Amino acid sequence: MTLHFNGAVAPLFDVESRLDAFVASRDFDRPTLVVDVDRVAAQFRALRLGLGRADIHYAVKANPAPEIIARLVHLGSHFDAASRGEIELCLEQGARPDQISFGNTIKRPSDIAFAYRAGIRHFAVDSDEELEKIAEHAPGASVYVRLLVEDGGADWPLSRKFGCDGEMAIRLLEEAARLGLVAEGLSFHVGSQTRKAEMWIAGLDAVARVWATAQARGLGLTLLNIGGGFPAFYDEDIEAPTAYAARVMELIAERFGDVPRIMAEPGRGMVAEAGVIVADVVLASRKSRDDNNRWVYLSIGRFSGLAETEGEAIRYRIETSRDGDPVGPCVIAGPSCDSADVLYERQPVNLPLTLKSGDRVLIRNTGAYTSTYSSVGFNGFPPLDVVVI
Ligand SMILES: *Cc1c(COP(=O)(O)O)cnc(C)c1O
């Protein structure tokens, strides 16, 4: 369990015992995410060590707990915000406007105007209309154009929703300059949970070709924004954060030379391993006498924080209070009256056959993309509670 860590950060063992000590000492009346903010700080340091001169802009959507933002401000992190709400949160927690970039390519004009008034000057675009909105509501600001890159094998790909092709990106940069904006550079995202640094190669090659063309046309780009994608440990081995980040920076140096400014936007990789969800079993049953699988219904499901189980893309490690007892294959489902609320069925999970209603379960490394995905009260179930220690 410590193999994905290096000497720069506390071993997971200590973190688990700190989280575990807290969890063991308390009762929870609803599913609760417990986050160790010291662990986030350790991960920030580990990534910073590997990323070297690149600026870290934490992707706020991964976990917007104010205590996390405040600690990252203290450590000198920058922030990638996607909305007025995320910008306000960062400012409230002490971030300066020049530490915040507005990285969503789909922005309300009123949010652009708000950001500009607040002093934010870096905006992402991938379309003509967005460029016009920025020219109107954030005159003279800097823009970076997001490229569409092929998914290189990420477990949670971001696919075709964001970005434009290389030719259009160059045209948008030229147009930005005509509109009085600063055409700053290019951005991309390799896809979330990209488990190996080598999976970045195809994406980086494609971006480097566009970068070279833009520079040959005299655009004088100064910023390369490499987005997120830094992995967390779920059920498959990953590289240690520092080594992973250092390898990505090496791949960049080989392709881009000395770009004046590099930005990275880790979300998942910064916070996932710092959190554990405490929930319980609501029901364990079989569908027939000779059913091979047990069905284990938890107090948390697809609509109360575990959205990334869609397609069984992210497979969380589940621990129970009966670990050590004989196990058998279990389908895992949430508590709501919606048939989509099944977490793992195609590939069942081996859990103790003694598991029954009321037993506590811990869902490990759930600090990213859980609290933000929790619905406000589907079927009357309360949203995922968050406790930061
Ligand atoms: C969500 C997001 C990120 C974070 O991605 P991870 O894979 O969680 O690191 C980074 N940049 C942008 C623009 C995003 O939307």
Side-chain angles (χ1 to χ4, degrees):
M1 267 315 295
T2 52
L3 85 172
H4 61 299
F5 284 88
N6 59 33
V9 296
L12 183 58
F13 183 78
D14 289 348
V15 177
E16 285 200 353
S17 46
R18 186 171 131 84
L19 281 174
D20 288 355
F22 180 86
V23 164
S25 68
R26 275 171 180 72
D27 287 329
F28 298 88
D29 65 355
R30 67 173 74 168
T32 302
L33 169 66
V34 183
V35 181
D36 179 352
V37 75
D38 288 345
R39 181 68 184 82
V40 176
Q43 197 70 2
F44 175 82
R45 292 195 191 94
L47 284 169
R48 183 168 58 186
L49 208 58
L51 286 168
R53 66 192 187 88
D55 288 326
I56 295 181
H57 286 237
Y58 171 58
V60 175
K61 73 175 184 292
N63 191 324
E67 298 91 336
I68 292 176
I69 306 298
R71 177 65 74 88
L72 289 173
V73 168
H74 179 74
L75 291 167
S77 184
H78 295 208
F79 299 90
D80 168 53
S83 63
R84 176 174 180 153
E86 286 188 352
I87 291 168
E88 286 175 326
L89 168 68
C90 294
L91 293 171
E92 279 160 17
Q93 296 307 317
R96 297 188 317 265
D98 63 277
Q99 292 173 305
I100 302 170
S101 49
F102 202 161
N104 192 346
T105 53
I106 307 151
K107 297 177 283 299
R108 298 178 61 130
S110 59
D111 281 12
I112 298 171
F114 166 81
Y116 188 71
R117 279 198 309 278
I120 289 162
R121 293 293 180 269
H122 299 273
F123 297 83
V125 294
D126 65 5
S127 67
D128 286 287
E129 186 173 42
E130 195 69 11
L131 201 55
E132 287 158 22
K133 283 195 263 176
I134 292 168
E136 184 179 346
H137 299 285
S142 298
V143 294
Y144 49 88
V145 175
R146 180 150 171 185
L147 281 172
L148 188 60
V149 296
E150 292 300 316
D151 157 40
D155 287 347
W156 192 259
L158 301 177
S159 69
R160 295 189 49 80
K161 180 170 175 183
F162 308 102
C164 60
D165 77 9
E167 194 189 315
M168 182 163 164
I170 289 172
R171 191 177 58 65
L172 287 173
L173 287 164
E174 288 169 345
E175 181 63 14
R178 269 194 294 278
L179 291 169
L181 298 164
V182 180
E184 207 178 15
L186 295 173
S187 74
F188 66 98
H189 194 302
V190 287
S192 204
Q193 187 65 4
T194 293
R195 273 177 286 102
K196 297 189 163 56
E198 304 303 310
M199 292 176 175
W200 284 63
I201 289 175
L204 286 172
D205 284 345
V207 176
R209 283 192 292 273
V210 180
W211 181 272
T213 308
Q215 299 303 56
R217 295 236 204 132
L219 272 161
L221 303 184
T222 57
L223 171 75
L224 178 66
N225 177 350
I226 66 171
F230 302 84
F233 178 75
Y234 296 116
D235 68 343
E236 283 186 85
D237 284 354
I238 56 166
E239 292 157 14
T242 302
Y244 180 105
R247 179 67 185 134
V248 169
M249 291 303 283
E250 223 172 77
L251 295 170
I252 290 167
E254 286 164 16
R255 286 162 181 78
F256 294 85
D258 49 357
V259 180
R261 185 166 169 245
I262 299 174
M263 266 169 75
E265 303 174 327
R268 184 189 307 280
M270 191 96 93
V271 291
E273 294 175 13
V276 63
I277 285 173
V278 191
D280 52 44
V281 175
V282 180
L283 175 72
S285 67
R286 289 186 196 268
K287 299 290 173 194
S288 65
R289 211 176 46 184
D290 50 2
D291 194 350
N292 269 335
N293 293 325
R294 284 186 106 205
W295 282 67
V296 173
Y297 302 88
L298 304 178
S299 57
I300 184 169
R302 177 76 49 82
F303 305 109
S304 39
L306 303 181
E308 289 196 317
T309 57
E310 181 166 353
E312 307 192 15
I314 300 292
R315 294 190 66 88
Y316 299 110
R317 188 156 61 92
I318 300 173
E319 288 172 17
T320 78
S321 49
R322 294 183 191 277
D323 285 1
D325 289 357
V327 298
C330 298
V331 174
I332 311 295
S336 71
C337 299
D338 188 308
S339 57
D341 193 8
V342 176
L343 309 180
Y344 303 120
E345 181 174 18
R346 221 176 43 222
Q347 196 185 328
V349 181
N350 278 323
L351 289 181
L353 294 166
T354 45
L355 214 54
K356 63 177 176 36
S357 180
D359 287 348
R360 181 177 274 194
V361 298
L362 299 184
I363 309 172
R364 290 288 180 190
N365 296 355
T366 39
Y369 302 120
T370 50
S371 56
T372 37
Y373 270 134
S374 176
S375 68
V376 294
F378 184 58
N379 259 176
F381 294 106
L384 184 60
D385 200 10
V386 181
V387 175
V388 180
I389 62 171

